[in-house]
Amino acid sequence: GAVVSQHPSWVICKSGTSVKIECRSLDFQATTMFWYRQFPKQSLMLMATSNEGSKATYEQGVEKDKFLINHASLTLSTLTVTSAHPEDSSFYICSARIGARNTEAFFGQGTRLTVV
Amino acid sequence: GQQLNQSPQSMFIQEGEDVSMNCTSSSIFNTWLWYKQDPGEGPVLLIALYKAGELTSNGRLTAQFGITRKDSFLNISASIPSDVGIYFCAGQGAQKLVFGQGTRLTINP
């Protein structure tokens, strides 16, 4: 399968600071990437859809000014958690699709964010 | 909105036993996917189903896409310790993946 690399795998930051998470498609071009959030023992919750060269589409209830998404190239999307608070602590996962017709989505390894 | 109901939520089995889990939906999906997630990792794609009624195998895993496109099951035969994890079904909508709640599989050696 295709490889999606997410970095960092874990990060601890102080409350009020910002954290950037990178998602890269290593062996394919991804016009669309997705960002999920997962709380312990729960399923994945879609936060936003990241489209290369255009603004991200956010799910209802997700603050776009707090979770900044940039998809500047066909192989890289970034999620920046701005002014992080302890309640932002979670497992963040990205995924990417190969092309528009292939609906198989491949996931990154996830990033464990802890805000102290 | 679209929802997937996945069952059972958890399973405790002996090594070597067969496992079966399923998902149902109130909506029709064109594609159904099964993923496995290990602790602290992202989901890994196990099987993708594209056609109604399709039965697909991947080693000891077998999955079928329901005729109505509203359900799917995943079977694991002769379970081994590395099968431990959380299994998610996912339906591909127009743009997004819709996930089930997950089935947590625990295996007693």
Side-chain angles (χ1 to χ4, degrees):
Chain A
V3 179
V4 176
S5 178
Q6 195 171 333
H7 178 81
S9 56
W10 61 269
V11 58
I12 302 173
C13 71
K14 291 185 177 181
S15 189
T17 61
S18 296
V19 174
K20 180 185 284 187
I21 303 170
E22 293 186 347
C23 181
R24 294 180 184 273
S25 56
L26 297 186
D27 50 1
F28 66 99
Q29 293 183 332
T31 54
T32 305
M33 290 186 175
F34 304 87
W35 287 96
Y36 296 83
R37 185 174 180 174
Q38 186 178 31
F39 291 106
K41 298 187 178 181
Q42 293 191 20
S43 188
L44 286 76
M45 182 188 77
L46 181 65
M47 298 175 65
T49 301
S50 170
N51 301 296
E52 188 267 337
S54 64
K55 291 183 179 180
T57 303
Y58 290 82
E59 295 300 299
Q60 190 174 7
V62 178
E63 298 178 58
K64 61 180 181 180
D65 294 329
K66 180 165 187 62
F67 299 99
L68 301 178
I69 292 173
N70 184 281
H71 194 159
S73 77
L74 287 171
T75 59
L76 174 64
S77 176
T78 61
L79 168 68
T80 301
V81 182
T82 63
S83 186
H85 291 286
E87 56 264 31
D88 297 325
S89 299
S90 188
F91 193 55
Y92 293 87
I93 313 173
C94 70
S95 76
R97 275 208 316 246
I98 303 174
R101 294 187 176 183
N102 188 324
T103 58
E104 295 176 12
F106 297 92
F107 286 81
Q109 309 95 314
T111 298
R112 171 73 59 192
L113 170 63
T114 303
V115 185
V116 297
Chain B
Q2 294 175 316
Q3 287 186 325
L4 294 186
N5 294 312
Q6 185 171 349
S7 64
Q9 290 187 1
S10 60
M11 302 182 73
F12 298 85
I13 63 170
Q14 296 294 123
E15 183 177 348
E17 289 185 6
D18 296 341
V19 172
S20 184
M21 60 191 78
N22 67 83
C23 274
T24 60
S25 169
S26 57
S27 304
I28 292 174
F29 289 102
N30 289 325
T31 302
W32 209 293
L33 307 166
W34 284 94
Y35 290 89
K36 177 176 183 273
Q37 185 179 29
D38 291 327
E41 300 286 336
V44 174
L45 181 65
L46 298 175
I47 291 180
L49 301 163
Y50 300 102
K51 298 179 181 179
E54 179 181 356
L55 181 69
T56 298
S57 293
N58 179 7
R60 293 178 295 105
L61 278 61
T62 302
Q64 184 161 30
F65 198 171
I67 290 291
T68 63
R69 292 183 174 272
K70 291 184 177 182
D71 62 287
S72 176
F73 71 75
L74 173 70
N75 290 339
I76 305 173
S77 63
S79 59
I80 59 177
S82 61
D83 291 334
V84 166
I86 303 176
Y87 293 79
F88 289 100
C89 62
Q92 178 65 56
Q95 175 78 340
K96 320 168 197 176
L97 274 180
V98 180
F99 281 87
Q101 303 95 326
T103 295
R104 182 179 297 272
L105 179 62
T106 302
I107 299 177
N108 299 316

